[in-house]
């Protein structure tokens, strides 16, 4: 009887220990290092940015529909501290980036940026919130710039001298990114009160660097290098090392300078190449520099959360922290889209899923999405664990893989698309018209050219970089597999249409 009582006490106490932090997975980083994954928050609605605050041992985070919240890491409780009154949420628009003043104990400020709409005009606002005892007691609009129906960026980050950087999107404009006098498609630099610093590279201007499309991640390395992640169009997602007065190429140049046209442009006017580019695209988002001994294999790495690729990528930097020399992929398709990452003072990593956003992928959202998950090192070897992916280099993709890679993120694996955002391929008349279909794939499509009566805010990108046989493969796949057609084409037909255009 006495023995039994003892056992039951042990069981109850171990249950309690596991209750608030039940381990949902293990990750093998190396033979020496294993991590546990625990859920610290669930049922969130697109946590967009999150930043760890050492002085409060909490995480401040935004959710796209307008809530700013604080996650207390001692209790795992969440408190909403502010709701942006005039946020305009649509697809990728809403409450986005967040930064914490580097000297929060003395200057208890949070900085947020979000989309607003007045009559028919869209804007992006940057606002500073002042906190006292965990409550917002005042707020100040620091800067308001033009917004758009997509590509509003944006991330915020502070450097060591308390200058605030705002990575803004090109708002789908053909001219902003290359125009150093406007504030879109830029890295903007300002004082912590929103003023223009005297030492900015262009006197009297916020503009620090330009030539950007839509940056979705930004971080400083230990030695002060500013790095961003950026979404390419249909190709060439990028990581850039940001330097003052540099032009990063968009809209004339995508990714590395590797086509004759791009090389010609770069030879005439100075353009800066990314330090990393990905084709097929992965939709890189959260970017966080990691410098801790807890996970030694990730020390001096960038932690990159991806949306389309649904993975956590670990990018090894050189000693100067301005080149990427190795890449590892973890959690591929495991928790869905990863949009936000932060690290606490002990080196525990927190990732936030974004499966309730405008582009949920197959099998998501899960019932408890969106979630914040904590990755911490454990001192034992678990029996089952997740491992890193093997990176397949230059392998030839079959038709299904091509469709998955280049089309499914918008039109979905089954071709049904997303109402209002991406048309269903099953209903498109182009599916029966080979010429039209090839033309669309090679050139992309802008609203009103499609036969759909629906008007789409965003254009379809061009896929002219695909080889003729790849285009033929995709066209045949969507016809035979999505609409049971027997009509097929060959690569020559694609070549002929390409040459005629
Ligand atoms: C980034 C999102 C995106 C990707 C990736 C994409 N599309 Fe599209 N697609 C669109 C949008 C948006 C439209 C509607 C454009 C419009 O009409 O303004 C569209 C339209 C189309 C249409 C015409 C539908 C109609 O209205 O009749 C076809 C066909 C099509 N896409 C095929 C493809 C194929 C094949 C691929 C892969 C090679 C692909 N798309 C990749 C976004 C995308």
């Amino acid at each position: 009887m006495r023995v039994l009582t003892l056992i039951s006490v042990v069981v109850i106490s171990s249950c309690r220990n596991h209750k608030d932090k039940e381990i949902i997975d293990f990750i093998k980083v190396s033979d020496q290092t294993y991590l546990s994954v625990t859920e610290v928050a669930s049922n969130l609605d697109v946590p967009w940015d999150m930043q760890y605050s050492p002085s409060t041992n909490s995480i401040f985070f935004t959710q796209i529909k307008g809530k700013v919240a604080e996650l207390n890491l001692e209790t795992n409780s969440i408190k909403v501290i502010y709701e942006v009154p005039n946020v305009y949420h649509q697809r990728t628009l809403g409450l986005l980036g967040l930064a914490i003043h580097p000297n929060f104990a003395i200057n208890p400020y949070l900085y947020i940026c979000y989309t607003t709409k007045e009559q028919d005009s869209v804007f992006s606002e940057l606002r500073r919130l002042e906190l006292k005892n965990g409550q917002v007691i005042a707020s100040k609009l620091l800067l308001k710039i033009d917004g758009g129906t997509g590509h509003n960026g944006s991330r915020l980050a502070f450097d060591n001298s308390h200058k605030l950087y705002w990575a803004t999107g090109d708002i789908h404009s053909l001219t902003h990114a290359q125009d150093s006098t406007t504030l879109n498609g830029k890295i903007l630099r300002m004082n912590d009160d929103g003023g223009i610093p005297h030492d900015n590279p262009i006197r009297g201007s916020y503009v620090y660097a330009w030539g950007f499309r839509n940056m979705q991640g930004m971080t400083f390395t230990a030695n002060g290098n500013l790095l961003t992640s950026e979404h390419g169009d249909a190709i060439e997602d990028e990581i850039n090392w940001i330097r003052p007065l540099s032009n990063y190429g968009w809209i004339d140049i995508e990714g590395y300078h590797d086509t004759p046209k791009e090389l010609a442009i770069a030879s005439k006017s100075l353009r800066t190449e990314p330090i990393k580019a990905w084709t097929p695209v992965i939709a890189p988002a959260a970017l966080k520099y990691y410098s801790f001994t807890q996970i030694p294999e990730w020390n001096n790495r960038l932690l990159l959360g991806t949306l389309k690729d649904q993975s956590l990528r670990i990018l090894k930097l050189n000693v100067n922290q301005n080149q990427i020399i190795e890449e590892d992929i973890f959690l591929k398709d495991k928790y869905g889209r990863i949009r936000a990452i932060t690290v606490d003072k002990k080196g525990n990593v927190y990732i936030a899923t974004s499966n309730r956003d405008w582009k949920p992928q197959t099998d998501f959202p899960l019932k408890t999405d969106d979630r914040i998950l904590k990755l911490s090192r454990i001192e034992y070897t678990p029996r089952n664990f997740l491992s890193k992916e093997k990176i397949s280099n230059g392998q030839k993709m079959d038709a299904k893989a091509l469709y998955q890679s280049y089309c499914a993120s918008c039109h979905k694996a089954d071709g049904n698309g997303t109402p209002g955002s991406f048309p269903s391929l099953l209903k498109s008349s182009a599916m029966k018209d080979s010429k039209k279909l090839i033309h669309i794939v090679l050139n992309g499509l802008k609203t009103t050219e499609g036969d759909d009566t629906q008007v789409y805010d965003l254009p379809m990108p061009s896929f002219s970089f695909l080889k003729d046989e790849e285009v033929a493969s995709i066209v045949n796949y969507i016809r035979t597999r999505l609409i049971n057609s027997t009509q097929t084409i060959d690569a020559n037909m694609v070549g002929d249409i390409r040459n005629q255009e």
Side-chain angles (χ1 to χ4, degrees), residues 245-315:
L245 290 182
S246 297
N247 178 348
Y248 289 80
W250 179 258
I251 192 171
D252 306 328
I253 297 183
E254 296 180 273
Y256 300 122
H257 303 171
D258 51 7
T259 67
K261 189 185 135 225
E262 290 176 342
L263 288 164
I265 294 168
S267 71
K268 284 194 207 98
S269 82
L270 210 59
R271 305 294 169 101
T272 307
E273 284 197 286
I275 60 169
K276 172 95 188 154
W278 289 269
T279 301
V281 288
I282 57 174
L287 193 64
K288 183 75 192 165
Y289 178 74
Y290 189 86
S291 171
F292 289 91
T293 50
Q294 184 184 145
I295 312 173
E297 295 82 354
W298 291 0
N299 192 38
N300 195 37
R301 296 330 190 250
L302 295 170
L303 312 181
L304 173 71
T306 70
L307 299 167
K308 180 180 177 210
D309 188 60
Q310 306 189 110
S311 60
L312 172 67
R313 293 186 174 223
I314 310 297
L315 311 176

Side-chain angles (χ1 to χ4, degrees), residues 442 464-468 471 494-501:
L442 290 178
S464 60
F465 62 89
L466 291 173
K467 297 192 190 86
D468 290 348
V471 173
V494 180
D496 290 345
I497 291 177
R498 201 194 287 266
N499 294 334
Q500 281 161 23
E501 285 176 351

Side-chain angles (χ1 to χ4, degrees), residues 141-162:
L141 181 66
L142 300 186
L143 186 60
K144 181 171 174 177
I145 65 171
D146 286 342
T149 51
H151 294 193
N152 288 294
S154 62
R155 293 281 180 183
L156 298 167
F158 272 98
D159 70 11
N160 286 333
S161 61
H162 300 185

